[in-house]
Each structure stands twice: as structure tokens, then as C-alpha cells.
Amino acid sequence: MLRPNFKYELKQLLRSNWLWLLCIILISLFSFATYNGLKKVEAREALIASAKAKTQENDTKMLKTLDSLEQGLEVHLKPWDLPSDPIVVGSDHPRVAAMPAADFTFLATGQSDLFAHYKKPKVYGGGIIEDFTEMTSPVQLLFGSFDLAFVIVFLLPLLIIAFSYNVLSAERESGTLRLLAAQPIGIRTWVLQKLLIRFFWLSVLVLVSLIGVLLVFKADPFTNISGLLGLLGLVLVYMLFWFALAFLVNLWVGSSAKNAVAMLGLWIGFVLLVPSMLNQLGTTIYPMPSRTLMINELRARQADATERQDEILDNYLRDHPEYAVNDTTETRNFWHGYMASQNLLRDEIKPVTDRYNAQLKKQQRWVNRFKWLSPAVTIQESLNKLAGTATSDYENYREQVLAFSEEWRAHFMPFLYNNQKFAKADYPDLPRFEYQKQDQSQMASIPMLLLISLVLFGLGFLASRNMKSGGILNQA
Amino acid sequence: MIGKTFIKETKELFREGRVRISLFIVLALLGVAVWISTRQYEAVNDQYAAAKTTERSVWDGQGEKNPHSAAHYGTYAFKPKYPLSLVDQGVDKYAGTSIFLEAHNRNDAQFSAAADQTGLARFGDLTPDFILLFIIPLLIILLGYNSLTKEREMGTLALLKSQGISFWKMILGKWTALFLPILVITVTLFLIAGVVLSRIEDFGVFNWDALLAMCLIYIMYYAVFTNLVLIVSALTRKSGVSLVIALSMWIAACLAAPKMATNVANNQHPYPTAQEFAASILEDKENGLDGHNPWSEESKKLEQDVLAKYGVDSLHQLPFNFDGYRMQKGEEHAAEVYFKHYKLLKDQYERQSEVYQGLAVLSPYLPTRFMSMAVAHTDYGTHWDFSDAAEKYRIATQKFLNEHFAENSGYGEWGWQADADFWQQLPAFEYEPTSLKSTIREQKANLSILGIWLLLSFSGLLLTVKRF
């Protein structure tokens, strides 16, 4: 029975205009989304490249100046701008700490519109708390971006619903169900076959148009085969999940319109309600401490540190006797006191800022624990990870930048406290930032979703056993 | 005829399980959403009040200090939350809530709630505006998709025709039956919101007019959706197809169009990144007077001008401290630079707004969303307004401090300190959002777009029914 069924479905699909309409819709959605994603990636790469070029240019100038200074030549710079002062190098010649795009960043905007992709940690200047947010119109953040993840998570299920809501009910409504009942095949098996065939054809359509669009837009999907396989796997299990739901709904619910309403209800539940409720619960159970009250706390500490600057410097030097030994002149200027008090302030506020990171991590753990409640959340999270735009990616980047910023400041401290000049020979030793990606393989959610879909199919089989074919035939 | 159709349709609706269930779900969701938002609103307001008083007492209690040190020490402007944010949260989650006001620099608002949440937050929140903008239109579709198709499917169309009914009367009956439950839900929700809001203490700028305006905007929005659903139902033969088409329209209008709009707006009129923006400001600032730098060309020029003006030959002979005067002039230059660059940014934002308005032709959701946020004072425009007001206050504060320094100390006296009780003389920062009248005037374009949607969809409905 599988073979005629397969043939019939194929013929019907090819003859119906729906298929062609679907093809056009899919290709245009994929194209628009891919175009947007690639454009964003392009802008990001260009920005990082230009920042790096600018740094390179400034460095060349700085080295020239240092060279002239070391040869005793005159330079046309104000005395407080001379790069022989380590604080000038540390503040005016920062390194670019960039987070380059990953192979599949165009897939999902994720948190990438919220955060900046490069920072320049400095010894002096810039707030005491590094601000990582990007200057984006909040309207844009509110509406979100039309990316491939949106097409896959939000729109693809709707195409599946339109494709599968009336498999059984259409036969009943056109009166051919009774003819079918005369065939040697169980109704459940028949519905299952029909849905699997549709799943097969829709999968072929989606995969071919997706890869086709990626190739046309030169997104080079084949440079990262495991990533591509991950993407295709995610799309397939997600589609399978919706077909499994369609199977249940076809067996349990009645007329075409009722099926459509039920499927739609499920879509709203999984795609809109469950995620927003999860988020709401997560933020209620692990609430973020108030940022406005945090400012109050920081200000109090800041005032205190400024007042005690001299005392702090004394303590600092007591803790770092090596500086007292290496420097015989022991001259102290503004920077010595300032840096010591800033270091102390940083140490003091670390527990305050750590609270936010800890709470965010707790929220993320909460999401990870319950993301299985909605495959839409699972897929969105996996796509974000694959794209390197997930919350955890930006957290990872933040941590690396903060560590680098620490390293950068620490690098200049011996210069400052030893009253040692920055020389040309010290240039190659400047710390450099290299972003370390975190693991992006998202294979774990694929078998999990597969399992969920299979359980749903099984459930359909088991539960509809007691409503015998007579029941299905006579349903309203 | 209108009345009879209305009664019959309403009876039918309430007999059906799907209507009862969906009404129940929508009401339950609304209840939860209102409850969560009220709690959040009260918590944020408490924090705001606490932060504001603490910051002010920090400022007042600085002790003896040089006014310019105090200017660097700075102060904060906190953005208040407005009562109608209970109904529409708008962009509040994505906009910063506090602005650091210091010497020489204009800072952006910091600490948006979204940056402190997981990626899940981007799916949206369960707030009243989510229900009002997304779920209720969906409810309209669910209640009305088969309003006309069922007459065909059950064969009652022929019976109706044989009775010689006037179709527009029947349609009007059906329209009323579909719209009335929605109207009741909406009005009830706004009444509840009004009662909740007037019970919260210190509700300040809350007024019933704004709430009424918002309610009317949503009623227009729902009328448009009711028309569209009935048009689809009249044009299709099968209920299932009608439902699928109406849904596709909903998805296109509420989900896809806004996202597309952001991409189009940003491709055509991109924002600079924070780093680029800062770099271009720095460049302009360096080309002008630096209040800290007495050796630059601009400073020398200023010196000559002032000496000539007062007819003295040394800065020490001036009746005020030239350091303070130069500091103020530098501040004025920086303020101009910031004004110029923020103006450019604002122009870009206004161009983006025009793109959104242009695309509102595709989706009644867009004008509704923008108007609702504007009335609730949770839109981007209010955020701009607030940040401009904070900048104005920052400039006034710098002037206040520099003048005090210039008038009370001599040239070169950097060690001079103002009295401990001087700080209290600085007026507090107060921000009043725009009045309802001017908000509506600003939203004229969106209002007329929604009006056009309403007119066109009504006439579309009447035209389709003629051929029914």
C-alpha cells in the first residue's frame, strides 16, 4: 500500500498549485533572511577590520615617535601625549579586543544586535564598569530581526500546518474515506504513511531550497560541514516534531477547520506562550538585582576611594614592595595614587558586578532545564549557539575581554611604579587579544527532539487504538 | 435584520466550545499579564524613588570640594516609569534607565533590562500589550473565520438568498456579533487597568484621557482585523482555507512585517556603532576648545579676547577666575559638538521612523504599536526626549558649577574649595513627558494610516459582500 500511496501523493503534490506557491514562498523567505544575516555579518567584519587597521596606523605613528625620542630628536607632541609615558600607551593606544563572526553567524541574530563586537580596554578612561551594549535603536530590538532562525522557528511550522492539517479530514469531507476503509490498510497506518510522505517531500523541498539559497548568496555552507549537518539535522527534527503533532491532531480532532484551530493553538503555545512564560518565570525566580540601586552602591565606594587616595597608595606600595626596590627616584605623581585607588575600587566592586553574572547564569540554567517544554525554544537556542550569538557566547566574550583588560592594565603597572619609560623595544611585548570560541556543536538536542517526536507518534498509535476505525469513520 | 443576525450569531458563538475555551484562555492570560506587570511596575517605581533620593543625598553631601571635581564626580538622571507602561511596556526593556551626567561628556542611557536577560527574552514577554496586539486579533480570527463560509458549507446561503435578504444588513449583524465580545473584553481590560492605576499611590501623570485614547486606538485596530477576517471569510469557499489565509495575514502583519521593517530601516538608514559614534565626537571635540588645556591655540585666542574685553593685561587682574571661565567655554564647545552628533543620530532615527510608517501600509500592527507606545510614554521618542532633557540639565549644571568657581576664586587657584552646603543649591532634575495632546499631534501620521486602514477595510468588506 505504501507504493501507490507514495505515487498518489507525489502526483497530487506536483499537480497542485500549492506546491509551487510553497516553493516560491520558501525560497523568498530564505533569501530575504539570508541576505539580512549576511549583510549584518559583513558590516560586523568591516567594522572590526577598520578598527584593527586604525590601531595599526596609530601604532606605526607611535613607534616612529618613540624612535625619534630615543634618538633624542624633537617631536611635535604635547608633553602629556608622549608615548614614552606608559599611561599614554595604555590609554591612547589600546588593542582591539574583537569577537569575529563565526561561519554560521548569519543564521541567527540572537543577542548580536544587543552587544558590541569589539572593545578597546584602556588603562585610563572608560567607565569603571565596562559597558558592552551596542547602540541600536530599541525599536529594532523590540521587533527583532528577520533572520533564518525566525523563518525556521516561527514560519516553517505554519507551512507544515497548512500542509498537514486536513490529511484525514479532507478524505472524510469529500467522502473518499469510506472507499479507503475498504482497502486493506489500517487508518492509522495510512495517515502515518501519508504524513511521512509529505514530511519526506517537504524536507527535500526545504533542504534543497535552503542549500540552494545559501549557495546563491555565497554563504559557503560547505566550508563547515559539521555545522551544516547540525543545521540540517535541527531543521529536520523540528519539522518531524510538527508532523508528529499533525498526526495526533489528525487522529484525535475532527473536521478540517477544527484541526487547523487545534494545530494553531499548539503553535501559539509552543512558539509564543511557553517561551514568554519560561522567561517570565526565570526572571521572577532569579530576579536581577536593581541596576539603579547598584549605581548608588558604586557611587558610595567611588567617593570613599577618591577621599582615601593617598592612604590607598601607601597600602598598595606596602603590598608591592618590588616597586619600591626597583625605583630609586621614588617620585610619585597623580597616576600613582589614581591607579592604586582604581585597582582597589575594581576589587571592591567585583562582588557587586559578579552578582549580575551569577544571576544571569542561573537564569540560563533554568532555560536549559526547561527548554524541552517547547521545541521552538530548543531550536532557537541551538541555532543561536551554532551562530555564535547565544547569551553564553556573549558572556564568554565579556569574560575574555575583562580578563584581557586586567592583563592590559597589569602590564603597565611595573612601568608606572618603577617610573620606567615605555621604549620601542617594549612594543612587541604588549598583550594581544585573541577570541576563543566556545564549543558550538549542537548535536545533543537533535536526538532529544527525535525522541520526543517518536514518542508523539507512538502516543498517536496507542491512544487511537481504542477508537477503532469505525469511530474514526463516523466522527463528525 | 441586523438585530436578528446579531442575536443568532451571538447565540451560536456562545454555544460553541471553542469560543468559550478561547475566551477563557485570553481572559486568564490577561489576568496573569496584568498581575505580573503591576508587581513589576510597583517594584521599579520603588527602586526609582530610592535611587533618586540616595543619589541626591550623595550629591548634597560631597563636603568641601572644588566645583570642577564635583562636575567630574557627576550625578545621575534616572528615567521614571509611567503609569500606562502597565498596559504597554513598549521599548522600555531595551532602553537604558540611567544617564551619568558629568563634566565634558554626554553619556548614553545605561543598563537596559534586556541586556541582563537570557536570549529567551527576545521571544517576547507575557504583558498586556502582547495580548492586546497579538492574541486578541488572533481571537477575532478564531471567532470569525467561518462567519460567512459556514453559510456556504451548510447550504444556508441559498435559503438566505431565497428570502431576499439584504446582504449588507446581514453583514452588519455578523460584524456586530463578532466585534461586540472583543469590544467588551477591551473596554473591561482598560477599565481594570484604570482602576488598578488610580489605586496605586503616586500615580503622578496618570490620566483617564490617555487611557481612553489608548483604548480607542486598540478598538480601531480590532475593527480593521474584524473587517479583514470577514472579507477573507466572504471570499473563500471552505472554512479551513479561510482560517489558513486569515492566519497568514495575521503572521504577515504582526510577526513578519515588523521584523522586515527593522531590516529595511537599518539597511537604508543604519545607526553608527557605539565606537564609531564616540570616535567622530572625539574628532570634533579635539578641533575645538579644551577647557583643561590652557596651551592650545583656541585657549590662547580666548585669553587674548577676554583680556582685550576687560582692558587688562594679565589674567590675574580679571574680576573672575579665568580657569573657571575657560572651563565653561570648553563645556559650551563640547555641548555643541554633542548637540551636532546627537542631532545626526536623531535624524537617522526619524528617517527610520518614516520607513516604519511607509511599511505600515502592509500592516495595521505597525501604526497601532507606535501610537500605543507613544501614548504610554514607553516609545523611543519619549526616551529621546528624556535623554535630551538630561543633557540640558547637565549643561545647566556645568554652568552653575563653573560660574561659581569663576566668581569665587582667583586665577590659578585650583585648590579652591566650595562650601559644603553649596551643592544643595543645584536645582533637582525634573522631567515631564509630553502631554497627551502633543503626543497625538506627533502621531498624526500613524493615526491617519490606521484611519485609512479602517476606511479601506470597511469599503473592501462592503464591496466583497455585494458579490457574495
Side-chain angles (χ1 to χ4, degrees), chain A residues 96-158:
Chain A
V96 175
M99 181 188 186
D103 291 334
F104 283 99
T105 296
F106 65 90
L107 265 188
T109 307
Q111 302 283 74
S112 68
D113 47 359
L114 209 48
F115 297 112
H117 290 111
Y118 78 84
K119 293 286 327 167
K120 294 189 197 168
K122 293 171 184 172
V123 167
Y124 167 75
I128 191 87
I129 294 189
E130 194 80 57
D131 187 7
F132 283 89
T133 47
E134 183 52 278
M135 201 164 78
T136 321
S137 152
V139 175
Q140 201 180 333
L141 295 174
L142 174 71
F143 288 165
S145 187
F146 197 98
D147 53 7
L148 269 177
F150 170 70
V151 177
I152 291 167
V153 173
F154 284 75
L155 302 184
L156 200 54
L158 290 164

Side-chain angles (χ1 to χ4, degrees), chain B residues 312-468:
Chain B
V312 290
D313 43 35
S314 133
L315 292 174
H316 289 278
Q317 292 167 348
L318 287 171
F320 51 82
N321 183 348
F322 183 71
D323 286 327
Y325 181 79
R326 186 183 51 232
M327 210 54 94
Q328 178 55 25
K329 287 292 158 198
E331 203 58 64
E332 281 164 18
H333 165 69
E336 257 170 51
V337 171
Y338 278 110
F339 182 77
K340 174 185 150 196
H341 285 272
Y342 274 88
K343 177 90 182 28
L344 289 176
L345 191 65
K346 206 171 183 173
D347 288 347
Q348 206 70 333
Y349 143 70
E350 268 155 17
R351 272 183 228 121
Q352 288 199 352
S353 300
E354 276 163 27
V355 172
Y356 288 124
Q357 275 163 17
L359 287 170
V361 178
L362 297 176
S363 155
Y365 167 90
L366 285 171
T368 313
R369 172 99 247 190
F370 283 114
M371 275 194 282
S372 163
M373 294 194 291
V375 174
H377 293 310
T378 52
D379 62 331
Y380 194 23
T382 305
H383 186 72
W384 264 108
D385 205 36
F386 168 75
S387 116
D388 286 345
E391 170 67 1
K392 222 170 165 182
Y393 178 72
R394 184 185 77 83
I395 295 170
T397 306
Q398 298 314 317
K399 191 163 180 257
F400 172 79
L401 295 172
N402 285 329
E403 281 179 356
H404 187 71
F405 182 43
E407 281 162 18
N408 293 293
S409 59
Y411 181 59
E413 275 188 298
W414 278 107
W416 184 82
Q417 293 189 324
D419 293 339
D421 58 357
F422 165 65
W423 316 114
Q424 292 165 19
Q425 293 170 23
L426 178 73
F429 172 63
E430 298 294 346
Y431 170 67
E432 270 300 314
T434 49
S435 67
L436 179 65
K437 238 188 196 161
S438 51
T439 308
I440 290 177
R441 211 174 305 128
E442 279 161 27
Q443 293 295 319
K444 226 167 37 198
N446 281 322
L447 191 62
S448 40
I449 292 168
L450 193 61
I452 292 171
W453 264 102
L454 194 62
L455 278 181
L456 284 185
S457 60
F458 258 124
S459 27
L461 181 63
L462 290 180
L463 279 179
T464 19
V465 170
K466 253 189 187 163
R467 303 187 308 159
F468 189 61

Side-chain angles (χ1 to χ4, degrees), chain A residues 32 36 47 110 113 118 134 138 143-146 158 257 260 264 268 276 279-280 288 291 295-296 299 303 391, chain B residues 47 51 55 73-74 76 98 116 119 121-122 124-126 138 145 243 247 251 259-260 262-263 273-276 380:
Chain A
F32 185 58
N36 288 329
L47 191 71
D113 47 359
Y118 78 84
E134 183 52 278
F143 288 165
S145 187
F146 197 98
L158 290 164
L264 180 77
I268 293 168
S276 61
N279 181 43
Q280 206 93 55
M288 271 291 162
R291 286 283 191 184
I295 291 175
N296 288 157
R299 302 280 285 163
T391 313
Chain B
Q47 288 162 6
E55 181 59 33
Y73 183 60
Y76 274 86
S98 50
D116 275 336
R122 307 303 291 280
D125 283 318
L126 190 59
L138 207 57
Y145 74 93
L243 179 62
L247 274 180
I251 289 151
K259 283 180 194 282
M260 280 174 156
T262 66
N263 282 307
T273 63
Q275 306 266 14
E276 287 174 322
Y380 194 23

